[in-house]
Amino acid sequence: MLRFFYPRSFPRLLFVGFTLVALPLIFALVGSAVTVDQMANRSQQAVYRAVLATQASRRLAELLTAMERSARQMVILGERKLLDTYGSNRKNFMETAREFSALPFDSEQTMALGEIMSGEETIFATLSDPAAPEPQLQKAVGGFVELAEHAKTITARSNELIDREVEVMLATAAQAQRIIFWQLLALIPVVVFLVIGFTIVITRPIRQIDQAIRRLGSGELNAAVNVSGPEDLQYLGERLDWMRRRLLDLEQQKNRFLRHVSHELKTPLTAVREGAELLSDEVVGKLLPRQREIAEILRHNSIELQKLIEDLLSYSASQFHRVTLELNPVEIRRVIDRVADDLALALRAKGLKLEIATDNVTLPADFEKLRIILDNLMSNAIKFSPPGGAISIAARANGTLLQLDIADEGPGILPGDRAHIFDPFYQGAQAVHGIVKGTGIGLSIVKEYAQAHGGSVEIVDRGDRPGALLRVQLPLARTEALS
């Protein structure tokens, strides 16, 4: 099993995550900066050499032209004094030639510079000889034409070198661009992997805490709370598990209390009910009308109390143990008739009319659980119906489901109560306050038993018609949920 090694605290985990995600990006930025810096240095050096070569070659050409002009003037005018001007230009020429020779040029340029230097030495030697005849001087001056050609060769070669350096720079820039592009392309999956990985690592303990809180909120108290992550989040998980154990202990105490109290009340109440039955049957003697009325009140309220206690016992059992079903083929009409017989006295006491419309439907169900569902729904309908009203029960097959509707003509269920009406011990704003107050668990038992059968219970909107309509839907065929 894959285990994650977390830092000691959640902020430190966030810091490590952001650092690891940022490192590849920082690496890419540094690599790009180094490449750009190398290109900038190389470009600077290339531009510097190109400027020096251009300046030197242009200076050589200018000085050769000045020297040629001085030499021709001296030969034509016969003025030896003009040799001083030639000498001054020659001195500048020699300095420029030395600077030029120090530059990193190729062999062709070096050879052309050597030809210029040797040719100029020969011309200067001839011009410096006072005994040199005029034809020799004319021939020496004519040598500047060849020197100018060599100077042009140097200039052309310098331009070629500059163009070649520019091409090399462009190629280097393109190569650097490709390298940066592939680096970024290779970093994208790395960054995405790190982001997804640390998102999972960071959100995992938070998701575990969220699931634990949701389970606690929905009343699922049996599953322990386990949070894997930094120590502070693990500590929070331990506190949640402590709260879960406390809630589970309180829930168990409540269920034990309900079982004990319900059991202790059931025995004396049975005696009270049997006594009321004996009085009603005039076993101890004939009763006066007033006495019979009192005996009926005792009998009716003892039945109501017994039903409340049975509801508490059923709810306690459903909370303490998983609801188990004894599935057999059950005719829904038999269940309706049984419940109608059980509640016949309550119906007569309020003068209520019971309307039954049912198809001949058989389904796999637990007869007793189905009887409790219908008994609780009908008891609620009787409780909220006005005297002389009507209660309707309709059962029919709707596709693969049995649809069982129970409707009354009472005040109905307020919209604000509908979201909680099936919660245990919840009593809506329309609760009836009589001698025996309800517990608010009847509909919660209906919901649990319906869900145990793989079905559901819901409130159906009746529009402008008065009263409430509750609909129970149960599967007509045996499903995996019932197995």
Side-chain angles (χ1 to χ4, degrees), residues 35 38-39 42 166-177 179:
T35 303
Q38 291 175 349
M39 287 181 56
R42 184 166 183 175
V166 170
E167 291 177 358
V168 171
M169 286 171 55
L170 292 175
T172 303
Q175 182 181 5
Q177 186 177 11
I179 292 174

Side-chain angles (χ1 to χ4, degrees), residues 378-397:
M378 279 194 62
S379 297
N380 273 358
I382 293 172
K383 183 188 301 184
F384 289 98
S385 292
I391 296 174
S392 63
I393 300 176
R396 65 184 182 88

